[in-house]
Amino acid sequence: MKIDLTETTSSKINQALVSARRAIGTPAIGMVLTLVVVTDEENAYDALKSAGDASREHPSRIIAVIKRVSRSPRARRDARLDAEVRVGSDAGTGETVVLRLHGELANHAQSVVLPLLLPDAPVVVWWPEGAPADPAKDPLGALAQRRITDTYSAELPLDELAVRAATYSPGDTDLAWTRITPWRSMLAAALDQQPAEVVGATVEGESDNPSCELLAMWLADRLGVPVERTLSGGPGLTAVRMETKNGVIVLDRADGSLATLSMQNQPDRAVALKRRDTAELLAEELRRLDPDNTYASAVKFGVDRLHAGGEVKAAPVASAAEKADRAAEAKAPAAKKAPAKKAASK
């Protein structure tokens, strides 16, 4: 069910939500949080679709805030609020309110959103793109317990990572960090199976990919070892190599879907590491509403500090034979193994 409201108010929107629920026979509210999506017209459809898909796991009231910047001075002075209310099958498992703020009202979005928040429920704000420099101090971000950004959508992702580190507040997180959750889990599990001191690591992936940088910073921060960042053609992260005193651990994903885990004295294992869509990433972030201290520690490690030991190198394209040699090296006994080759050349 959809209801269009022109030149409306927050009070009328709340009334429309109650009327819509009664009309479809679900007067009770069964939602667990309010998700505020701050976007523009260009990206609104994709953002709302991802939020709606994520709401199947987390029934939510989704409030999309779209600021309509007017070109003429007279139009910019006129404040107007248009809204679209979606309930039932048109809104996933919750409710969706699309707010279009015109004129001066665009500078006071928090005043419109505040009366629409679910009572006694957590609030999460998500910026699919164009996130403020300091989300916690943003008027909308100040309403939330959890603030989600995405450095991957920035024009200069690595500079954006530095901004995220400088302005971090408990409750901040980033989808570039969420993308590497399977990688972090797999690498931690590999070290559990082969407990040994790690003496160095290499992270290989696309240039200017914030997920690659965050994974390298996480390894450097948690292991306290030098981590080399090398470049490849992608997609995304392509390989991680950890040098241990008992051998080499290699996690290689060349096609963006299936990876191969190679360890000393063990057969190669195929593991699923597919590139996930935004709805899956968002659903993962909505599972926890407490501060992510591991993300905080990793992002504050700093890109400059990561690269302080030398420039980022471009990894040569490995042939099938070279990849087989790498896997054999990872499985060979440490006493017979030749000195490890560098994963990249200048």
Side-chain angles (χ1 to χ4, degrees):
M1 182 176 183
K2 295 182 181 181
I3 301 175
D4 290 323
L5 302 171
T6 305
E7 296 189 23
T8 187
T9 63
S10 298
S11 176
K12 292 179 180 179
I13 294 172
N14 269 320
Q15 293 174 10
L17 285 168
V18 174
S19 299
R21 287 198 301 268
R22 289 176 176 170
I24 64 174
T26 57
I29 298 178
M31 291 162 287
V32 298
L33 58 88
T34 302
L35 175 61
V36 180
V37 183
V38 186
T39 184
D40 53 22
E41 290 288 2
E42 179 183 358
N43 298 283
Y45 175 83
D46 290 337
L48 283 172
K49 185 178 185 305
S50 297
D53 291 343
S55 74
R56 300 185 187 282
E57 182 177 335
H58 310 277
S60 314
R61 173 174 288 179
I62 300 169
I63 302 176
V65 178
I66 302 174
K67 300 178 181 181
R68 300 291 297 270
V69 179
S70 303
R71 295 182 178 180
S72 67
R74 178 178 298 178
R76 285 196 294 269
R77 288 194 298 268
D78 295 334
R80 188 177 91 244
L81 172 63
D82 297 334
E84 180 182 327
V85 174
R86 306 175 187 174
V87 178
S89 59
D90 294 315
T93 58
E95 302 170 341
T96 299
V97 180
V98 182
L99 305 175
R100 290 182 170 85
L101 285 64
H102 301 260
E104 185 63 27
L105 190 62
N107 297 323
H108 304 280
Q110 73 280 5
S111 300
V112 180
V113 170
L114 185 60
L116 302 176
L117 301 178
L118 289 173
D120 302 321
V123 179
V124 179
V125 178
W126 172 37
W127 290 270
E129 71 292 311
D134 192 341
K137 292 184 179 179
D138 181 82
L140 284 173
L143 302 175
Q145 288 78 36
R146 194 81 160 145
R147 296 165 294 276
I148 304 173
T149 57
D150 191 355
T151 54
Y152 192 82
S153 65
E155 185 175 355
L156 299 172
L158 301 192
D159 291 346
E160 189 74 6
L161 271 182
V163 173
R164 297 277 78 83
T167 62
Y168 174 83
S169 293
D172 291 355
T173 190
D174 196 279
L175 293 187
W177 171 254
T178 318
R179 290 183 179 95
I180 62 174
T181 299
W183 284 82
R184 294 189 295 118
S185 300
M186 189 58 60
L187 293 171
L191 288 177
D192 285 341
Q193 297 174 39
Q194 184 174 299
E197 181 182 351
V198 179
V199 297
T202 300
V203 175
E204 178 184 299
E206 289 177 320
S207 174
D208 291 331
N209 187 309
S211 295
C212 300
E213 304 296 332
L214 280 169
L215 183 59
M217 290 189 288
W218 173 70
L219 288 171
D221 177 60
R222 304 301 292 181
L223 299 176
V225 299
V227 178
E228 185 179 15
R229 173 73 171 91
T230 62
L231 305 182
S232 71
L237 268 166
T238 52
V240 175
R241 177 189 179 98
M242 294 190 295
E243 304 276 354
T244 76
K245 291 188 175 181
N246 290 344
V248 185
I249 299 174
V250 179
L251 184 58
D252 188 293
R253 185 191 69 176
D255 61 357
S257 178
L258 193 65
T260 301
L261 177 63
S262 303
M263 292 191 293
Q264 174 191 341
N265 294 329
Q266 295 189 24
D268 289 352
R269 305 175 193 176
V271 294
L273 278 179
K274 72 180 184 70
R275 292 166 62 82
R276 299 179 292 169
D277 60 26
T278 305
E280 292 180 82
L281 301 174
L282 190 59
E284 179 184 323
E285 282 300 336
L286 295 180
R287 290 178 200 137
R288 60 175 299 170
L289 299 175
D290 56 316
D292 190 341
N293 295 326
T294 306
Y295 164 70
S297 181
V299 75
K300 288 180 179 179
F301 185 88
V303 177
D304 292 340
R305 182 178 171 190
L306 177 69
H307 296 163
E311 61 180 351
V312 179
K313 302 175 182 179
V317 178
S319 64
E322 289 171 331
K323 290 186 177 182
D325 289 342
R326 288 184 188 179
E329 179 187 356
K331 293 182 289 182
K336 297 181 180 180
K337 189 177 58 178
K341 298 178 181 179
K342 290 186 178 179
S345 59
K346 292 184 179 179

